[in-house]
Amino acid sequence: MAMKSEKLYKRAGIYIAPSAYGLPVDLEEALASCKAFIRKNRELKLMRIYWDDEVTVVRTSEQNGRRTPLGVTGNDAWQRLLRDTETSAIEVIVIYAARTVAPSISGLARLIREYFLPCGIRLIDVEAGFDSETGDVEDYLKHRNREYRSTLYGRKAAE
């Protein structure tokens, strides 16, 4: 009786969307960068591309005179991607940049800490060179938060 061989790759999905804050994202360039990343990393197999053409911030919270984005519409592809992670159709999420995923860093942090990590879902941010499998998640979130605040509130990011 032949032994079942272990799978040699992780099923990856690329998520492409416009920027929710900060610098705009060229969607075609972002897709090309994500595909190039997967080609270089043979342990990943591209299963699906999830593409949102337009994402709009619809809910905000105002504290101390600052408006913070809380929710978005138009992120149907992102919702499909999350459903695919629940069924294990996708094990690795490849994004171009954090600013394309969530309207706030707290939203991204919540996703990573409370969903991706406990469920074993790997997140790769191509622009930042971050991989949740090998990188320091807290350091990544701290750096993304500085970037987010600097673009949202007009302050220069402290590197």
Side-chain angles (χ1 to χ4, degrees), residues 77-140:
W78 178 253
Q79 298 306 318
R80 282 192 307 277
L81 172 59
L82 292 179
R83 282 193 300 273
D84 283 349
T85 62
E86 291 171 2
T87 64
S88 297
I90 299 297
E91 302 166 293
V92 180
I93 298 172
V94 179
I95 61 173
Y96 176 70
R99 65 184 181 274
T100 65
V101 174
S104 69
I105 295 305
S106 61
L108 178 62
R110 193 170 30 262
L111 269 172
I112 293 172
R113 290 181 188 135
E114 297 174 15
Y115 181 66
F116 295 160
L117 293 179
C119 294
I121 298 164
R122 187 171 158 193
L123 177 72
I124 297 170
D125 179 334
V126 173
E127 183 183 62
F130 172 75
D131 184 338
S132 65
E133 185 173 72
T134 57
D136 181 337
V137 172
E138 296 308 315
D139 187 52
Y140 168 74

Side-chain angles (χ1 to χ4, degrees), residues 5-23:
S5 64
E6 197 172 313
K7 186 175 62 168
L8 300 175
Y9 62 87
K10 296 278 189 179
R11 294 180 298 274
I14 294 174
Y15 179 69
I16 301 295
S19 179
Y21 62 89
L23 298 172

